[in-house]
Structures are given as structure tokens and as C-alpha cells.
Amino acid sequence: MKVLVPVKRVIDAYVKVRVKADGSGVETANVKMSMNPFCEIAVEEAVRLKEAGIASEIVAVSCGVQQSQETIRTALAMGADRGILVTSDQPLEPLGIAKLLKAIVDKEQPELVILGKQAVDNDNNQTGQMLAALLGWPQGTFASKIERQDGELKVTREIDGGLETLTLKLPAVVTADLRLNEPRYASLPNIMKAKKKPLETMTPEDLGVDVMPRLTVVKVTEPPARQAGVKVADVSELVSKLKNEAKVI
Ligand code: AMP
């Protein structure tokens, strides 16, 4: 089974994000970028499926600026077999990305697409769902466990009330949640080997996809600063403050 794993280049999760002075977005110049953490989990799951003899080939795809090839190289160092970079200098929205991914799915014919459940830059949580809708494929979002069973896929999902188990007919789209696995670190020899793995580059025009933005960002602002806490002398003072000041009990 061929597995496609879309991976996104985002501001590193440990960087303190700064809003641009004009409120048009966040600073990305000279900021450390990394693979979106949920995409790392998606790659790890694909690699485990390959190690278990279930997946035969893993293709990592990234859409964005030229430097997104570093994100693909990370996926290759973790165990993906080859990469596809769709270059675009203009900001891409989930619908545009889902259309690009659909065009790649049409070309590559994978049986499974594993995405991250969301990208931690915009927290959209939309691309996987949109891709499944465009393809007309079943989807298992927020997966915390994936098992292959009699030609189908059993996906355990994290939902508000607990866990839900779905059986999906293949081909299918799955999005990875935090507890699906713990991604491996790429070893130095694998990072070196990844440099030699094939990486194909194309543009949205090559794929016949219009990625014109449909959304306008009105304003980006910092969240309100948190107020400093106070120390209370004892439990009765705490209860009194919760009751009379915070009014939560
Ligand atoms: P989002 O819908 O933006 O929260 O992203 C969810 C998932 O879609 C990510 O974890 C990736 O697997 C995939 N994805 C989003 N944007 C891109 C991109 N530019 N290139 C490749 N995959 C992406």
C-alpha cells in the first residue's frame, strides 16, 4: 500500500511568536522553522506501517516556499522514500492545499493519506477534511490508533466523550492526533541518506490548480496579557476570593 504524507513547514513550536507591527501577520523572517509536530506524528505512523510490512512506499509532500524542501528532507530522514515539493511564494489556504493534494493523489494513486490533525501555525484543522471531501474518500480524523484489518482500516479517534472506533474502506484519509505515537529522531546516517532520496518539484500551474486566496486576514493581534496572580494566606481567603472576587463559586 502506497502512503502519502503531507507535511507542513511552520514556525518551530518552541519559538515565541511575534505579531508584526502592522498587524498583518506574524514575523517569519530569521525565525526557526520546523516540521509541524502533528505532521511528524503522521510521518512516524507511515514509517511504522512500512516497518510492519503494511505500507510499501511513503511519499512526503509539502506545498509552500522553496525552503519547504527542508521539511521534506526531514520526512525522508525519518523513513519516507521520496518527496514532492509544490512551490508557491504566495500564502496558501487549506482549500488551495487540499486541491493541490488532490491533484497529487490523482497522479500518485496512494491507498492512504495521513495528515496531521492540524498545523500549529494557523490551527486550521481543515486540510484533511477538505481533501477527503474533494476525493470522496472516507476520513478518520484525530486518530490515536490505526490498524489494518481485512483490507480495511480500523481507526480509533479521540472525541470529546472518549474514544470512537471507525472502520474505513480504503482508499482513505486519516489525520493524526497527539497520542498516535511518539515520532523518532532522525539519526545522522539517515539524515545523510535522505539527501540522496528523490525529490520532485512542481508548481500549482503544473498541477492545473488555482490557489488564489479566498480569505482576507483582517487583523492579527497578541492575546491579552495575563494578569499577575496573588498569594493567599489560607484556604478560607482562597474560598472568599473565588466567591467574591472571581465569582466562580
Ligand atoms: P491545517 O488544516 O492547516 O491545520 O493542516 C492540517 C494538516 O494538513 C497538516 O498537519 C499537514 O499534514 C497538511 N498540510 C497543511 N498545510 C500543508 C502544506 N502547505 N503542505 C503540505 N501539507 C499541509
Side-chain angles (χ1 to χ4, degrees):
M1 152 164 104
K2 189 197 271 193
V3 182
L4 194 84
V5 188
V7 290
K8 188 173 191 193
R9 176 179 188 263
V10 297
I11 294 180
D12 187 272
Y14 294 101
V15 167
K16 164 119 183 54
V17 175
R18 286 182 207 290
V19 173
K20 282 186 188 164
D22 64 1
S24 63
V26 298
E27 283 298 350
T28 51
N30 301 319
V31 172
K32 182 173 183 235
M33 308 294 281
S34 300
M35 187 190 296
N36 175 44
F38 291 106
C39 300
E40 286 181 349
I41 298 172
V43 174
E44 175 66 34
E45 196 62 20
V47 175
R48 290 188 190 189
L49 288 173
K50 192 169 176 202
E51 287 169 347
I54 297 169
S56 52
E57 189 188 22
I58 304 168
V59 184
V61 186
S62 195
C63 313
V65 291
Q66 187 67 34
Q67 293 92 318
S68 306
Q69 67 166 283
E70 293 157 18
T71 313
I72 296 178
R73 290 282 172 212
T74 306
L76 298 175
M78 287 173 74
D81 298 291
R82 59 187 173 90
I84 300 175
L85 170 65
V86 184
T87 52
S88 169
D89 286 331
Q90 64 172 316
L92 296 169
E93 294 171 356
L95 183 59
I97 296 161
K99 287 180 181 171
L100 292 171
L101 295 175
K102 178 182 183 294
I104 291 173
V105 167
D106 290 343
K107 219 158 97 79
E108 292 285 336
Q109 302 281 310
E111 260 190 285
L112 177 64
V113 184
I114 313 181
L115 305 94
K117 76 161 177 182
Q118 76 190 66
V120 298
D121 50 3
N122 292 328
D123 277 347
N124 285 321
N125 177 10
Q126 293 172 11
T127 312
Q129 294 87 332
M130 288 179 172
L131 175 63
L134 292 174
L135 288 165
W137 286 10
Q139 57 180 299
T141 51
F142 314 126
S144 60
K145 198 170 177 192
I146 301 175
E147 294 155 282
R148 178 93 195 238
Q149 219 177 43
D150 307 327
E152 295 186 328
L153 211 61
K154 198 169 132 194
V155 176
T156 307
R157 309 179 59 226
E158 298 199 349
I159 56 168
D160 280 350
L163 297 176
E164 180 186 49
T165 307
L166 301 177
T167 321
L168 308 183
K169 287 209 182 343
L170 292 168
V173 173
V174 169
T175 73
D177 210 330
L178 191 65
R179 277 161 286 272
L180 183 59
N181 60 50
E182 236 179 75
R184 70 195 64 192
Y185 287 104
S187 65
L188 193 57
N190 285 344
I191 293 173
M192 301 312 286
K193 270 190 226 158
K195 294 185 199 244
K196 297 209 176 84
K197 291 188 179 176
L199 199 166
E200 200 183 339
T201 302
M202 53 190 77
T203 62
E205 294 74 46
D206 294 336
L207 293 165
V209 175
D210 166 19
V211 288
M212 272 289 289
R214 263 97 173 147
L215 306 173
T216 312
V217 174
V218 180
K219 200 169 163 202
V220 177
T221 55
E222 295 272 359
R226 285 178 65 178
Q227 288 185 349
V230 286
K231 272 192 181 169
V232 291
D234 51 29
V235 173
S236 55
E237 192 188 346
L238 172 67
V239 171
S240 145
K241 279 188 183 294
L242 289 175
K243 207 170 189 169
N244 305 318
E245 289 178 25
K247 298 194 191 317
V248 290
I249 56 172

